[in-house]
Amino acid sequence: MENNEKVLISTRNLVKIFDVVKVLDNIDIDILDGEKVVIIGPSGSGKSTFLRCLNLLEIPTSGLVEFKGEPLFKCYSNFVKEEIKQAKKQARKLSKSSSEKSEYQKQIAEMKKQYKEQLAEEKVFRKKMELNLNTHRQKMGMVFQQFNLFPHRTVLQNITLAPIKLKLATEEEANNKARELLKRVGLLDKQDSYPGQLSGGQKQRIAIVRALAMNPSVMLFDEPTSALDPEMVGEVLDLIKDVAEGGMTMVIVTHEMGFAKEVGTRILFMDEGKIAAQGTPDEIFNNPTHPRLVEFLSKVL
Amino acid sequence: MKLDLTIIFNEKTMLLLVKAYGWTLAITVMALVIGIIIGTILAIFMVLPKTNIVNKVLNSFANIYLAVVRGTPLLVQLMIISFVIFADVIFFNRTVSPYLIATIGFGINSGAYVAEIMRGGILSVDKGQMEAGRSLGLGYGQTMKSIILPQSAKNILPSLGNEAIALIKETSVALVIGVSEFFTTIKSIVNTSYNVVTPYLFAAIIYLVTVMAMTALLKKFEKRLRKSDGK
Ligand SMILES: Nc1ncnc2c1ncn2[C@@H]1O[C@H](COP(=O)(O)OP(=O)(O)OP(=O)(O)O)[C@@H](O)[C@H]1O
Ligand SMILES: [Mg+2]
């Protein structure tokens, strides 16, 4: 079965530590082409951090992030470093003469060697990745809670800026494509407006169009309707549904449970930096088993 | 002592003053241009994410530059540039003109102050803007250039105006390296005419008119930049 399903994004042992807090705790996931993955979970559970690690807006502490089979991020040296620290702590507890201690020291030396090799390898990798990363990001559209439109540019320029600057299209091609997309979302008459003149719902729809104009392979949404007035949530969710029906692969962080149920093909429940439960909308919403999930759902539903 | 307009409004003096005023404006504008270029580069050095050694070195360089330039008197800086650095420099068989040295000196000095203005401007732009640019696949430099800097421009314009106004009055310091600009010319008129009131009053009026003209120009420019706010 796995042969005809293409993995688009995958992570292995993904860890993110802020200061001393492990915000992401060894996350392994494969996101398949065409999937609509919806991430739910309590505030502070690491949903945004996870999403932002996928396109490396946030640099993970260690682990692997792959996009279309190519590693975007690969770092195990921090992991080995942590292990060395642990081993040293253990060794200190033992008496000097014990054979166990010399065994430990041999092990630590071995790990240190491994650490150095890792570090050298990762340095080469990072140099190479620095350039590729921008190319990969073009294919990972991102939509933010706060829209983040460019206030000094018109709506049309917001959409065409990146394709033109990155020489993916001529100005004329970019303009035509942008107008076509604007027409689709019913905002063609706003093409020469500035973001400051738009409503929240309009802004978010433009932000989605801006991401779509790059022809991405996947779209990442971080609470796209959380900053909107209630009466504008619908128009944005409708557009996202529309894009989903077009076959786009999506990863969506949201608090809109009805929307999650409707659009998601797989629901991830995150809790304390881990994927505590995952499954189809039916499994997650109608037959939850994980106690923290049950508790979470009872609060939000 | 009484007002005596003839000591200013005669052909010989006027010619001298117009030329001197021209130098003041020229030095100010050129120094400001140099200051903005240096300041922008330093500001970017200062806001670079300190994730690798190169960025850290650039960051330290900017900090040292600011400490040295802002921590020592402008007069001393001009003297050092003129009498130490450019003392033995021969360019096309001639020593370097004090006017050019003054321009470079004021530019270097202004760069440090503009850097702080620019840094404040860059930091005033929401960090979501950088993230939006990067998420579209634009590089750091590209995002800085076409998204962050244009937005910071309108925030820093008032402070930049202040810097220009301060600079136009400060140029008189360049007398120490032999530059005769507007104010030094006024002083020499005072010395030869023994009349204090007229030349200084005239100078004050000229400065006032110049600064007012600059302010008006700035306002117009700011208004054009603010157009996009939809306010
Ligand atoms: N830049 C940062 N520096 C330090 N801590 C951070 C940073 N960003 C996030 N955190 C912490 O990491 C944890 C997870 O944050 P994250 O934003 O990923 O949560 P979330 O699940 O998206 O929450 P919400 O539903 O409120 O958006 C939080 O405890 C947060 O305080
Ligand atoms: Mg969040």
Side-chain angles (χ1 to χ4, degrees):
Chain A
M1 169 190 131
E2 278 191 355
N3 302 342
N4 49 21
E5 282 179 329
K6 212 174 97 206
V7 176
L8 204 54
I9 303 178
S10 63
T11 71
R12 290 292 175 271
N13 304 101
L14 187 65
V15 172
K16 175 68 187 180
I17 298 173
F18 281 121
D19 305 320
V20 288
V21 187
K22 221 177 206 177
V23 173
L24 294 181
D25 191 359
N26 275 300
I27 295 198
D28 293 348
I29 193 173
D30 288 317
I31 294 167
L32 307 180
D33 203 8
E35 261 195 303
K36 305 0 160 166
V37 176
V38 179
I39 305 175
I40 59 172
S43 182
S45 56
K47 305 182 296 292
S48 300
T49 308
F50 173 65
L51 199 69
R52 292 155 54 82
C53 278
L54 296 182
N55 68 351
L56 299 199
L57 276 188
E58 205 74 72
I59 305 296
T61 306
S62 72
L64 173 75
V65 179
E66 275 187 344
F67 179 55
K68 294 182 174 173
E70 258 195 75
L72 295 189
F73 178 85
K74 193 167 71 179
C75 174
Y76 286 108
S77 59
N78 286 335
F79 182 73
V80 179
K81 203 162 134 191
E82 197 62 32
E83 279 192 330
I84 293 174
K85 233 195 263 169
Q86 295 298 333
K88 271 187 181 165
K89 220 190 257 171
Q90 289 294 327
R92 230 173 283 135
K93 284 188 199 146
L94 300 166
S95 65
K96 246 187 200 134
S97 51
S98 77
S99 62
E100 235 181 313
K101 173 128 187 168
S102 65
E103 190 58 37
Y104 255 117
Q105 261 148 0
K106 228 187 271 167
Q107 237 177 42
I108 290 172
E110 183 60 35
M111 279 196 282
K112 273 189 178 158
K113 204 178 112 205
Q114 197 189 341
Y115 176 65
K116 271 202 193 114
E117 280 167 11
Q118 283 278 356
L119 219 55
E121 192 184 311
E122 282 161 13
K123 203 169 155 188
V124 175
F125 174 76
R126 264 205 306 275
K127 275 245 170 65
K128 204 176 75 190
M129 211 47 248
E130 201 82 14
L131 299 170
N132 289 349
L133 184 56
N134 290 335
T135 323
H136 287 306
R137 277 195 182 129
Q138 293 171 17
K139 293 290 156 209
M140 306 172 103
M142 181 135 191
V143 176
F144 303 86
Q145 186 175 346
Q146 299 296 337
F147 329 128
N148 296 347
L149 291 180
F150 308 133
H152 63 304
R153 299 294 184 113
T154 64
V155 164
L156 195 72
Q157 288 167 340
N158 260 276
I159 301 167
T160 59
L161 187 138
I164 293 174
K165 290 265 182 244
L166 295 167
K167 303 202 165 54
L168 302 174
T170 65
E171 196 173 332
E172 199 190 323
E173 285 164 0
N175 281 343
N176 287 340
K177 166 128 207 220
R179 290 205 183 95
E180 197 181 297
L181 286 165
L182 281 172
K183 204 160 148 193
R184 205 174 113 197
V185 300
L187 289 172
L188 187 57
D189 56 323
K190 299 289 184 197
Q191 60 170 316
D192 295 320
S193 303
Y194 285 95
Q197 301 164 323
L198 304 176
S199 74
Q202 289 170 335
K203 277 185 206 166
Q204 194 60 302
R205 278 147 70 202
I206 300 294
I208 293 170
V209 166
R210 179 174 71 180
L212 284 174
M214 300 293 294
N215 293 325
S217 315
V218 58
M219 293 270 284
L220 313 174
F221 294 87
D222 191 1
E223 300 196 27
T225 58
S226 291
L228 297 176
D229 290 335
E231 72 268 22
M232 291 169 185
V233 171
E235 64 189 70
V236 172
L237 292 185
D238 284 344
L239 174 57
I240 299 175
K241 267 181 238 169
D242 207 42
V243 176
E245 274 157 24
M248 179 69 72
T249 311
M250 291 181 169
V251 186
I252 309 169
V253 175
T254 186
H255 288 296
E256 301 280 339
M257 294 303 146
F259 171 73
K261 213 184 282 187
E262 192 180 343
V263 171
T265 56
R266 176 159 50 138
I267 313 291
L268 304 184
F269 171 65
M270 278 192 76
D271 189 39
E272 294 181 338
K274 291 192 172 86
I275 298 174
Q278 60 174 307
T280 62
D282 185 53
E283 286 164 351
I284 293 292
F285 291 108
N286 301 336
N287 308 297
T289 50
H290 194 278
R292 295 276 296 177
L293 173 59
V294 174
E295 185 193 332
F296 173 74
L297 289 177
S298 73
K299 271 187 208 145
V300 296
L301 286 180
Chain B
M1 206 166 291
K2 62 182 195 334
L3 224 52
D4 179 4
L5 292 179
T6 58
I7 60 170
I8 300 284
F9 292 97
N10 63 67
E11 198 181 325
K12 193 167 144 259
T13 314
M14 272 321 264
L15 214 65
L16 224 64
L17 278 173
V18 167
K19 200 173 144 198
Y21 183 71
W23 274 118
T24 295
L25 282 189
I27 292 174
T28 303
V29 170
M30 283 311 296
L32 201 62
V33 169
I34 296 172
I36 289 173
I37 294 169
I38 293 178
T40 308
I41 295 170
L42 289 176
I44 291 175
F45 286 0
M46 286 191 282
V47 299
L48 280 174
K50 288 170 211 58
T51 44
N52 62 50
I53 185 85
V54 179
N55 290 5
K56 280 181 194 158
V57 168
L58 294 177
N59 185 265
S60 307
F61 170 78
N63 284 332
I64 292 168
Y65 185 107
L66 257 69
V68 171
V69 172
R70 297 198 303 172
T72 56
L74 174 59
L75 189 80
V76 176
Q77 288 165 21
L78 280 181
M79 302 257 251
I80 290 175
I81 292 173
S82 176
F83 300 130
V84 180
I85 299 174
F86 278 105
D88 301 316
V89 176
I90 304 293
F91 202 62
F92 289 114
N93 284 330
R94 288 170 53 193
T95 53
V96 180
S97 148
Y99 291 88
L100 181 61
I101 293 174
T103 306
I104 295 171
F106 284 118
I108 288 174
N109 182 272
S110 182
Y113 293 92
V114 174
E116 274 297 34
I117 297 173
M118 286 279 180
R119 189 173 71 93
I122 291 171
L123 294 181
S124 75
V125 177
D126 180 47
K127 88 181 205 305
Q129 293 289 309
M130 175 58 84
E131 294 186 345
R134 298 309 302 275
S135 77
L136 287 164
L138 297 168
Y140 180 89
Q142 236 168 354
T143 311
M144 213 25 135
K145 188 169 132 246
S146 32
I147 295 166
I148 309 294
L149 290 179
Q151 286 183 65
S152 64
K154 71 181 166 217
N155 292 341
I156 62 167
L157 220 50
S159 314
L160 219 49
N162 265 346
E163 177 64 19
I165 288 168
L167 203 54
I168 208 165
K169 291 183 282 191
E170 240 171 24
T171 50
S172 60
V173 174
L175 178 66
V176 292
I177 59 169
V179 168
S180 75
E181 51 79 75
F182 184 65
F183 197 70
T184 56
T185 309
I186 291 282
K187 271 199 271 191
S188 71
I189 297 170
V190 170
N191 287 340
T192 51
S193 69
Y194 300 108
N195 185 322
V196 177
V197 177
T198 319
Y200 283 151
L201 197 63
F202 178 73
I205 291 168
I206 294 297
Y207 276 122
L208 188 63
V209 170
T210 309
V211 169
M212 276 164 65
M214 277 166 64
T215 311
L217 211 69
L218 220 69
K219 278 250 166 68
K220 215 170 131 185
F221 197 54
E222 215 183 316
K223 208 164 142 195
R224 231 178 54 196
L225 283 178
R226 286 208 187 279
K227 209 180 64 185
S228 64
D229 281 1
K231 285 172 196 152

